[in-house]
Amino acid sequence: MLSKLIYQAFFEGSARGSAQEVGAGQRHDILRKGERSPYVTMVIDGWAASYTQLSHGPRQLHTIFLPGDLCDSGVSHTGVLDYSVMALSRVRLACLPRELFDGLTEGHPALARAVWRQELLQAAMLRQLTTAIGTKPAHERLAHVLAEIFLRMQARGYTENDSCPFLITQSDLAELVGLTPVHVNRMLQLLRRDGLIVQGGRTLRIPDMQRLLQVARLDPAYLGLGKVSAPEEEPDPRPMAL
Amino acid sequence: MLSKLIYQAFFEGSARGSAQEVGAGQRHDILRKGERSPYVTMVIDGWAASYTQLSHGPRQLHTIFLPGDLCDSGVSHTGVLDYSVMALSRVRLACLPRELFDGLTEGHPALARAVWRQELLQAAMLRQLTTAIGTKPAHERLAHVLAEIFLRMQARGYTENDSCPFLITQSDLAELVGLTPVHVNRMLQLLRRDGLIVQGGRTLRIPDMQRLLQVARLDPAYLGLGKVSAPEEEPDPRPMAL
DNA sequence: CGAATAGTTGACTAACGTCAATACTAGTGG
DNA sequence: CCACTAGTATTGACGTTAGTCAACTATTCG
């Protein structure tokens, strides 16, 4: 769940001129492993992802950051990033000086809790992803991540009925679920043939979420979004841009 | 790194009669998904692991809990466990009433930070595990988890020279790294033939950690243990038992 | 000592990876 | 507006890793 509180902190920071809005080109690193970034970073627009890369080897994506997500809130406590973050699409970021952020959370317990919760939610998502990669066949892994992304976008009001912007390539998906791009392609075709997803341009449509969740063998309770049901009324409209 | 502070909190709780020491048999659930456990649980002796299980499907282990580890510190913030925890060996647990624990952390910022750090360390380990499962071949995954467990045990003073208690079965390893027990068996034989590990009874010996880390393509910096080098002097002796 | 759990082996299968060529699409500059 | 280009998607033939099934051995624990 996107925390209004966190969003507001960045909004106010911005109003006071302390938050920087930054445009990052497509497919570039936003944060790099080993850095001690002086800012706390939030995705405002577009998608990003954290990953680790084996030396000269393949990458593994861990978390897809959607608009409203913090990319590095935990770093204050550990000192140094143990992962990198890259832009998956064109991205707009808000960067709040870390001391300022830490000050805000100290003075505002509800905000601190909201940050905590985001961190724990990301951990829960990672547990689910690990489970998918470790135990599920390829098409189920894909059903899993597609459903998860859709539901997260929906909770923030970025969906329209059963369709949702989809800003990620098949190669990215491959690096997320631990497969090759070729195999991802074939399995997506399978899901399309079964009518579980409809993909056109930069859009993903999910005609029957329940069925997709069933295929993915996924109970989305861990996302903390409450009931997941047929496309009804939308939740809140998308939050105001910075 | 095992936090003395956290350990002490439980020790004092125990002295005041608020911490329960519990023996849990081998291979049984300690905490179950969906519960709202009224206690915060620490492993005192033996090994445990968090996992998620697909309905009637295979399990995926996420985190191996060694003596001194908290199993469910994050639950206070989210309300409900989204994973289960089971004993891998005979286990002794310390259980501190959750309100008491929360009270302690509120009144003691250094303790709160220590708990935070443990949670973030577990998240970092999970990222590494996910990367291993998603991108590394079987023998490297095993080298990875064996090295990690050894180093964590070493940091707590549970190793002697190059050998370390090893309380986990090949089936457990399989569920940890996303393979079948049969394949784990074969790959362990491979590691043994190459002299990377020596396994006897419930003991694991790692004659050359650097070489094992190289095979695993693993930089253990994320464990926050400082230098990892040839077997020299031991760190602290094992902490007192409850 | 005997039952249950854990480890080992072999033959066979299936899922996924690799390589390489070909289409498609979107963004770019003339 | 069109042609060019680079990234992305798709296809096919084939190779390899890891899974499956099933038996058998070794160990642990009561």
Side-chain angles (χ1 to χ4, degrees), chain B:
Chain B
M1 181 197 326
L2 182 146
S3 167
K4 294 249 157 66
L5 273 175
I6 302 176
Y7 207 91
Q8 236 169 45
F10 274 75
F11 181 69
E12 283 163 19
S14 152
R16 279 192 278 150
S18 307
Q20 309 259 340
E21 191 178 334
V22 175
Q26 221 161 328
R27 328 232 110 248
H28 279 98
D29 274 354
I30 295 169
L31 299 165
R32 220 159 292 181
K33 179 181 165 182
E35 281 181 354
R36 174 165 184 73
S37 153
Y39 299 99
V40 178
T41 311
M42 177 188 263
V43 174
I44 297 299
D45 216 59
W47 292 8
S50 64
Y51 71 93
T52 57
Q53 179 148 24
L54 270 40
S55 44
H56 299 284
R59 269 188 300 228
Q60 175 69 46
L61 304 193
H62 302 303
T63 308
I64 306 290
F65 297 117
L66 306 179
D69 284 332
L70 296 177
C71 301
D72 53 1
S73 55
V75 177
S76 303
H77 298 261
T78 52
V80 168
L81 269 181
D82 68 306
Y83 52 85
S84 300
V85 177
M86 69 171 178
L88 297 176
S89 66
R90 258 191 268 267
V91 170
R92 274 168 57 228
L93 305 170
C95 303
L96 201 60
R98 192 170 290 279
E99 320 112 44
L100 183 56
F101 179 80
D102 292 345
L104 282 177
T105 55
E106 268 172 43
H108 195 340
L111 174 61
R113 269 195 299 275
V115 173
W116 233 136
R117 279 161 144 281
Q118 251 220 33
E119 200 76 33
L120 290 171
L121 173 61
Q122 287 175 11
M125 292 194 298
L126 186 57
R127 277 191 288 272
Q128 293 297 130
L129 178 65
T130 309
T131 304
I133 297 176
T135 68
K136 294 179 188 174
H139 68 280
E140 297 185 10
R141 297 186 207 175
L142 287 167
H144 176 132
V145 298
L146 295 180
E148 184 184 270
I149 290 177
F150 186 98
L151 291 172
R152 290 173 65 204
M153 287 292 276
Q154 190 174 48
R156 290 155 205 223
Y158 286 101
T159 57
E160 249 175 71
N161 297 315
D162 57 357
S163 72
C164 149
F166 196 71
L167 308 178
I168 193 179
T169 71
Q170 292 185 358
S171 296
D172 296 329
L173 279 175
E175 293 185 337
L176 181 60
V177 298
L179 297 167
T180 51
V182 172
H183 203 59
V184 165
N185 182 292
R186 296 199 242 256
M187 294 300 108
L188 284 179
Q189 290 179 46
L190 220 158
L191 294 178
R192 288 194 285 242
R193 251 174 244 139
D194 291 352
L196 288 162
I197 61 172
V198 183
Q199 243 186 319
R202 316 238 102 87
T203 307
L204 168 68
R205 274 188 51 213
I206 298 183
D208 186 344
M209 176 59 79
Q210 291 309 325
R211 206 153 65 87
L212 187 64
L213 289 172
Q214 212 170 318
V215 167
R217 288 192 287 171
L218 186 66
D219 172 3
Y222 69 97
L223 288 172
L225 301 174
K227 48 102 187 79
V228 172
S229 45
E232 324 167 57
E233 4 68 76
E234 293 290 303
D236 300 339
R238 45 202 297 174
M240 67 281 169
L242 261 198

Side-chain angles (χ1 to χ4, degrees), chain A residues 221-240:
Chain A
Y222 68 96
L223 288 172
L225 302 174
K227 50 99 186 80
V228 170
S229 46
E232 325 166 56
E233 3 67 80
E234 292 290 303
D236 300 338
R238 43 201 298 171
M240 64 284 170

Side-chain angles (χ1 to χ4, degrees), chain A residues 38-222:
Chain A
Y39 297 100
V40 178
T41 311
M42 177 188 263
V43 175
I44 297 298
D45 215 58
W47 293 7
S50 63
Y51 70 94
T52 58
Q53 178 147 26
L54 270 39
S55 43
H56 299 285
R59 270 189 299 226
Q60 175 68 47
L61 304 193
H62 301 304
T63 308
I64 306 289
F65 297 116
L66 306 179
D69 285 333
L70 296 176
C71 301
D72 53 1
S73 56
V75 177
S76 303
H77 297 260
T78 53
V80 167
L81 268 182
D82 68 307
Y83 53 86
S84 300
V85 177
M86 69 170 180
L88 296 176
S89 67
R90 259 191 268 267
V91 171
R92 274 168 56 229
L93 305 170
C95 303
L96 200 61
R98 192 169 290 278
E99 322 112 43
L100 183 55
F101 179 79
D102 292 344
L104 282 178
T105 54
E106 268 171 43
H108 196 340
L111 174 61
R113 270 195 299 276
V115 173
W116 234 136
R117 279 162 144 280
Q118 252 220 32
E119 201 76 33
L120 290 171
L121 173 62
Q122 287 176 10
M125 291 194 299
L126 187 56
R127 277 191 287 273
Q128 292 298 129
L129 178 65
T130 309
T131 304
I133 297 177
T135 68
K136 292 179 189 174
H139 67 280
E140 296 185 10
R141 298 186 206 176
L142 287 167
H144 176 133
V145 297
L146 296 180
E148 184 183 271
I149 290 176
F150 186 98
L151 291 173
R152 290 173 64 205
M153 287 291 277
Q154 190 175 46
R156 291 155 204 222
Y158 285 101
T159 58
E160 249 175 70
N161 295 315
D162 56 357
S163 72
C164 149
F166 196 72
L167 308 177
I168 193 179
T169 71
Q170 292 185 359
S171 296
D172 296 329
L173 279 175
E175 294 185 337
L176 181 60
V177 298
L179 296 167
T180 50
V182 172
H183 203 59
V184 165
N185 182 291
R186 295 199 242 255
M187 294 301 107
L188 284 178
Q189 289 179 46
L190 220 158
L191 294 178
R192 287 193 284 243
R193 252 173 245 141
D194 291 352
L196 289 161
I197 62 173
V198 183
Q199 244 186 318
R202 316 239 103 86
T203 307
L204 168 68
R205 274 188 51 213
I206 299 183
D208 186 345
M209 177 59 78
Q210 292 308 326
R211 206 152 65 88
L212 187 64
L213 289 172
Q214 211 170 319
V215 167
R217 287 191 287 170
L218 187 65
D219 172 3
Y222 68 96

